[in-house]
Amino acid sequence: MNLDELKKLKEKAQRQVALREGHKKYRVVFSMGTSGIAAGARDVMTTMLDEIDKRGLDDVEVAITGEIGLVDVEPIIRIEEAGGEQVTYAKVNAADARKIVTEHLEKGKVVEGLAVGKAKK
Amino acid sequence: MKRTHILVCTGTGCASAGSFQTRDALLAELAKRGLSEELDVVETGCMGRCDLGPVSMIHPDGTFYKNVKTAEIPQLVEEHFLKGRRYEKLLPTDPETQHLVKTQADFTFFNRQLRIVRDNCGVINPEKIEEYIARDGYLALGKALTQMTPEEVIAEIEESGLRGRGGAGFPTGRKWGLMRKAPLHPKYVVCNADEGDPGAFMNRSVLEGDPHSVIEGMAIGAYAMGAHQGYVYIRAEYGLAVKRLHIAIEQAYRLGLLGKNLFETGFDFDLEVRIGAGAFVCGEETALMRSVEGRRGQPSPRPPFPAQRGLWEKPTNINNVETWATIRPILLKGAEWFASIGTENTKGTKVFCLAGKINNTGVAELPFGTTLRQMIYEVGGGIPNGKKLKAIQTGGPSGGVIPEQFLDTPVEYETLQKLGSIMGSGGMVVVDEDSCMVDFARFFMEFCCDESCGKCPPCRVGTRQMLLILERICRGEGEPEDIAKLEELADMVKSASLCGLGQTAPNPVLTTLKYFRDEYEAHIREKRCPACACRELVHFEIDVPLCKGCSLCARACPVQTIERLGDQKKFIIHQEKCIHCGACFDVCKFDAVKKTSPGIPVPA
């Protein structure tokens, strides 16, 4: 192995442990209370994880939280940008989740049609 | 992608508390709840809090869980991984603030540390070379081989001020320089992983948690010194460390990071593991080399030093595990950065093991110059059960005790030496007021006497004679001239023994005599143990008004010498049959059993 090959291997391997390094740019929080789960939040989350993985996005972490309180518009997800905006999406389905990944998490553009609220953190 | 990594400590400490079962239970529970796709369970090396094991660290939220026993797994998975809230039952309490600790970063034990050597321990899976590479693994070796001459590597190490972490503190760069100049070939590099001090397990934690860091350091050293063969000498008791080391070496060979033509520079380096039978004396470098050669592990006089004539009479460089593991960060971040940490005389950090009567038992890495007080009270969380600190034993059986009045001493090689102790491998055994210092010295003397290889009489016979005297004193059969005899013997053993084992074996006795002479005198003159610890000298009695008559003590007594006091609901101890075992004292819930060491009055 030469130095360049080692560096390439490092880049590939970094994604395996990136989650343990902390301080990501985006934090995606799924509302995973009873109503969220009933509305399919878990499938939406799995889809999203899959899409993030496919696109090789390192600077994102996905977390879950309890009931937010808006039962009829679940699944709800909140995207927190480190030091920036906090955007909430409601009634997210699997296709929406993929769109949020490609638009919001990859390009930094809020998916306007789906976003229900924005707040400075 | 996984949303969460559950790191489970599988260092020996946590493994003995059942962390492998915890891992299996976690995997099963996650599968049962359909969460396997989202979460990853990762085995790591030692996280440092051995007393709370099995411990677990959750990323990315940073939660640190203690005592993660299999019975807790269903509840934990439901709370944290299904519902997304912390499972408070398993959160540790910070002894300093008395608050529940939510994340590792909030934990005094962790956030006072500076982790250089143990940076990867408890973060990566030590059995996956990819995870080591992800954290800059083998980059330092690549840099050294492709961009630096051997002399430049040695100059960098010399400039960093790194000193050998095995105990003596000899400047590593200078040692390497001497070895490079040695005219004979071939040359060998050796890693001393024969950690044998009671209360020291820092080398084990590094080898179990990050074996590649040691391998990489050795390969760099071999390049700098002109060696092509290395040996790791490790004791067989360190089963898990041996296993992980073998896995790591095999993986490094597979990727071409060990073996022939490393980084296409034509440099070859082979590494083998040599397993020792666990004799303490084999940590001494000349004995270690004999053992590596397959001969009986007995020391020989120096000179010749290993750098002149070592393994198979060829130049050999031996460094400790921690020294080897420190090479990589120095090459990656530079000598200047390393030299900015620590004190004037001693640079960098040291991994210390906190053991004995201390709240936070475990492994902590701190910069040199940290005071004993910070170590014991801030990082270590103080003494349990509100007891008073009596002394700290540093450096294992070769070290000495340091009494409470020197707590503000900054820890480095010279300061500890001045107090009559040594740094040694960095073991810190905390002694509280319930321990008898004579008995403590006896314990370490017994260890050295057992471990003496028997080659030279001063050590073989001298330690035995000292032990016999100490045992006699602890039994209350000490004679007035015993202290002088001990001092004379100590002087003889120290100056006439062949190797470090004998030369340092009297240290615990000498330092306890220096700082706790009154305890020796109480044993000898008054037949009294001030700490009420020496079995022959203690006396148990039931304080009748306090006795509730619950009969626990009577049932615990192995010789049935506790009986009802007449027809009252009270108990008394019949002294003639009492064996002073303390079983009654331990079980009494009302403090009615009194332990004293009355002694006999000194004749006027």
Side-chain angles (χ1 to χ4, degrees):
Chain A
M1 178 177 307
N2 62 35
L3 202 53
D4 288 332
E5 285 166 351
L6 180 70
K7 282 178 182 161
K8 265 186 214 135
L9 190 59
K10 181 191 156 184
E11 268 170 37
K12 214 175 108 195
Q14 255 174 337
R15 293 192 40 209
Q16 271 182 34
V17 297
L19 198 58
R20 293 171 227 167
E21 308 288 355
H23 305 296
K24 301 278 177 276
K25 186 176 177 198
Y26 290 112
R27 182 162 184 264
V28 184
V29 185
F30 279 80
S31 157
M32 203 67 88
T34 306
S35 61
I37 295 171
R42 186 137 253 128
D43 288 338
V44 176
M45 181 171 73
T46 324
T47 311
M48 194 155 200
L49 287 169
D50 176 58
E51 191 66 26
I52 292 170
D53 193 35
K54 237 191 257 170
R55 310 216 157 244
L57 305 181
D58 282 345
D59 222 2
V60 181
E61 65 177 65
V62 176
I64 60 173
T65 187
E67 200 76 53
I68 284 177
L70 287 164
V71 182
D72 54 340
V73 291
E74 293 276 11
I76 295 171
I77 66 175
R78 190 169 76 230
I79 297 188
E80 302 166 4
E81 190 179 339
E85 269 187 338
Q86 186 173 304
V87 180
T88 306
Y89 294 100
K91 287 192 174 173
V92 182
N93 61 30
D96 298 337
R98 287 190 194 277
K99 197 167 175 198
I100 291 168
V101 173
T102 54
E103 293 296 311
H104 194 145
L105 299 179
E106 196 170 29
K107 297 181 192 145
K109 283 194 291 196
V110 176
V111 185
E112 293 296 348
L114 289 169
V116 291
K118 271 190 245 177
K120 274 276 181 214
K121 214 186 172 183
Chain B
M1 184 189 158
K2 309 279 182 175
R3 70 177 160 94
T4 293
H5 287 183
I6 308 169
L7 310 188
V8 180
C9 174
T10 55
T12 293
C14 284
S16 62
S19 64
F20 283 105
Q21 288 89 319
T22 297
R23 174 203 60 187
D24 295 341
L26 254 174
L27 288 170
E29 187 68 25
L30 292 176
K32 197 173 116 192
R33 303 210 181 229
L35 294 170
S36 304
E37 289 293 304
E38 304 163 25
L39 305 153
D40 229 350
V41 178
V42 182
E43 294 158 41
T44 72
C46 178
M47 296 183 186
R49 280 310 300 275
C50 311
D51 57 327
L52 300 181
V55 296
S56 174
M57 170 89 192
I58 316 297
H59 284 287
D61 56 71
T63 310
F64 182 80
Y65 284 123
K66 62 165 186 174
N67 303 126
V68 191
K69 300 275 185 191
T70 47
E72 301 287 353
I73 299 295
Q75 201 67 12
L76 173 70
V77 169
E78 181 169 328
E79 287 295 307
H80 197 127
F81 305 117
L82 205 63
K83 295 183 181 164
R85 57 190 184 203
R86 290 193 171 91
Y87 183 37
E88 292 202 351
K89 189 179 166 194
L90 299 184
L91 291 176
T93 311
D94 195 319
E96 193 174 276
T97 58
Q98 291 299 319
H99 289 152
L100 276 188
V101 181
K102 292 199 175 112
T103 68
Q104 198 185 27
D106 297 334
F107 207 166
T108 323
F109 177 78
F110 289 108
N111 60 28
R112 299 278 157 96
Q113 294 191 45
L114 175 64
R115 292 168 51 127
I116 295 174
V117 172
R118 280 176 43 80
D119 189 32
N120 279 336
C121 291
V123 179
I124 62 166
N125 181 338
E127 297 183 13
K128 285 190 178 158
I129 192 171
E130 292 78 13
E131 298 203 355
Y132 178 68
I133 288 174
R135 293 178 59 101
D136 294 333
Y138 290 102
L139 268 188
L141 176 63
K143 183 182 165 193
L145 291 185
T146 57
Q147 294 158 23
M148 296 169 88
T149 64
E151 288 77 12
E152 281 170 354
V153 174
I154 292 177
E156 187 84 10
I157 299 300
E158 196 150 7
E159 219 174 292
S160 74
L162 174 65
R163 300 172 65 176
R165 300 295 194 241
F170 192 80
T172 307
R174 206 186 314 157
K175 188 166 167 178
W176 286 18
L178 290 172
M179 168 83 168
R180 169 133 198 106
K181 292 195 195 88
L184 292 172
H185 286 275
K187 295 178 181 178
Y188 299 101
V189 290
V190 176
C191 172
N192 184 350
D194 192 63
E195 182 175 55
D197 299 5
F201 39 99
M202 61 289 285
N203 289 174
R204 189 186 73 201
S205 84
V206 171
L207 282 167
E208 284 174 1
D210 193 15
H212 287 286
S213 66
V214 178
I215 297 172
E216 187 177 357
M218 290 184 78
I220 294 168
Y223 169 71
M225 290 179 268
H228 298 286
Q229 173 71 48
Y231 295 97
V232 181
Y233 185 77
I234 183 169
R235 44 181 52 222
E237 290 109 311
Y238 280 6
L240 191 60
V242 172
K243 179 186 151 211
R244 293 201 169 139
L245 199 54
H246 276 298
I247 293 173
I249 290 175
E250 191 201 326
Q251 290 176 338
Y253 268 108
R254 182 161 49 75
L255 291 184
L257 296 162
L258 278 176
K260 298 263 174 280
N261 193 18
L262 303 184
F263 290 92
E264 299 173 356
T265 58
F267 174 72
D268 306 334
F269 181 62
D270 286 297
L271 187 61
E272 284 176 46
V273 177
R274 284 285 183 275
I275 299 184
F280 184 58
V281 74
C282 286
E284 197 281 337
E285 55 182 17
T286 57
L288 183 151
M289 291 189 300
R290 297 297 85 77
S291 183
V292 170
E293 290 168 354
R295 294 197 274 156
R296 184 173 181 157
Q298 282 191 323
S300 45
R302 294 176 301 180
F305 287 96
Q308 302 162 304
R309 267 187 287 148
L311 279 177
W312 296 287
E313 304 287 306
K314 296 291 190 282
T316 302
N317 179 78
I318 303 172
N319 279 131
N320 172 265
V321 170
E322 208 180 319
T323 316
W324 288 123
T326 313
I327 303 301
R328 174 179 101 97
I330 293 177
L331 284 203
L332 283 178
K333 295 189 180 171
E336 209 176 305
W337 160 80
F338 191 78
S340 70
I341 302 159
T343 65
E344 186 64 38
N345 292 323
T346 315
K347 306 299 185 191
T349 56
K350 175 85 192 74
V351 184
F352 295 97
C353 283
L354 306 176
K357 304 290 177 62
I358 189 160
N359 274 318
N360 302 343
T361 304
V363 187
E365 184 172 351
L366 298 159
F368 280 105
T370 305
T371 65
L372 287 167
R373 188 182 299 280
Q374 288 169 324
M375 220 174 267
I376 307 302
Y377 287 98
E378 291 179 16
V379 181
I383 318 296
N385 308 322
K387 295 279 181 183
K388 213 171 145 274
L389 176 106
K390 194 181 221 175
I392 301 154
Q393 154 86 16
T394 71
S398 308
V401 296
I402 297 174
E404 204 218 339
Q405 67 257 40
F406 297 110
L407 266 186
D408 290 307
T409 309
V411 174
E412 53 175 324
Y413 296 95
E414 283 75 19
T415 50
L416 295 188
Q417 226 158 31
K418 246 182 245 160
L419 296 175
S421 186
I422 60 164
M423 171 77 73
S425 51
M428 299 270 162
V429 180
V430 180
V431 184
D432 73 1
E433 55 188 327
D434 286 347
S435 302
C436 166
M437 297 317 286
V438 186
D439 184 56
F440 196 74
R442 186 203 54 77
F443 168 80
F444 281 107
M445 190 49 73
E446 188 178 14
F447 179 85
C448 289
C449 185
D450 265 358
E451 293 291 344
S452 172
C453 77
K455 183 171 177 174
C456 70
C459 172
R460 182 185 68 230
V461 183
T463 54
R464 166 67 59 190
Q465 290 309 316
M466 289 180 77
L467 175 63
L468 290 175
I469 296 177
L470 289 165
E471 285 177 345
R472 217 170 54 214
I473 298 176
C474 289
R475 278 200 308 269
E477 295 163 12
E479 291 153 13
E481 58 273 24
D482 276 345
I483 291 182
K485 267 194 213 163
L486 273 177
E487 283 172 327
E488 194 189 332
L489 278 167
D491 188 42
M492 184 276 293
V493 173
K494 226 174 144 85
S495 52
S497 290
L498 178 59
C499 80
L501 196 160
Q503 286 160 12
T504 57
N507 282 350
V509 174
L510 287 174
T511 47
T512 45
L513 270 174
K514 183 170 166 192
Y515 299 119
F516 299 97
R517 205 181 190 86
D518 53 328
E519 290 197 23
Y520 280 85
E521 280 168 353
H523 281 75
I524 295 171
R525 289 157 55 90
E526 301 161 41
K527 311 298 173 202
R528 179 173 70 83
C529 176
C532 296
C534 290
R535 189 160 159 180
E536 273 87 353
L537 304 182
V538 292
H539 174 83
F540 293 93
E541 204 155 349
I542 292 172
D543 188 334
V544 176
L546 287 178
C547 179
K548 301 272 184 275
C550 72
S551 85
L552 261 185
C553 56
R555 281 181 280 156
C557 180
V559 290
Q560 284 98 41
T561 189
I562 303 180
E563 285 174 353
R564 245 173 234 287
L565 181 61
D567 54 359
Q568 292 185 51
K569 275 191 172 172
K570 307 269 181 185
F571 286 82
I572 56 157
I573 302 174
H574 294 297
Q575 296 297 331
E576 59 278 12
K577 258 167 58 188
C578 176
I579 56 165
H580 315 283
C581 67
C584 50
F585 180 80
D586 292 339
V587 294
C588 183
K589 290 186 164 47
F590 309 102
D591 289 330
V593 180
K594 298 295 175 196
K595 179 161 76 169
T596 53
S597 181
I600 51 159
V602 192

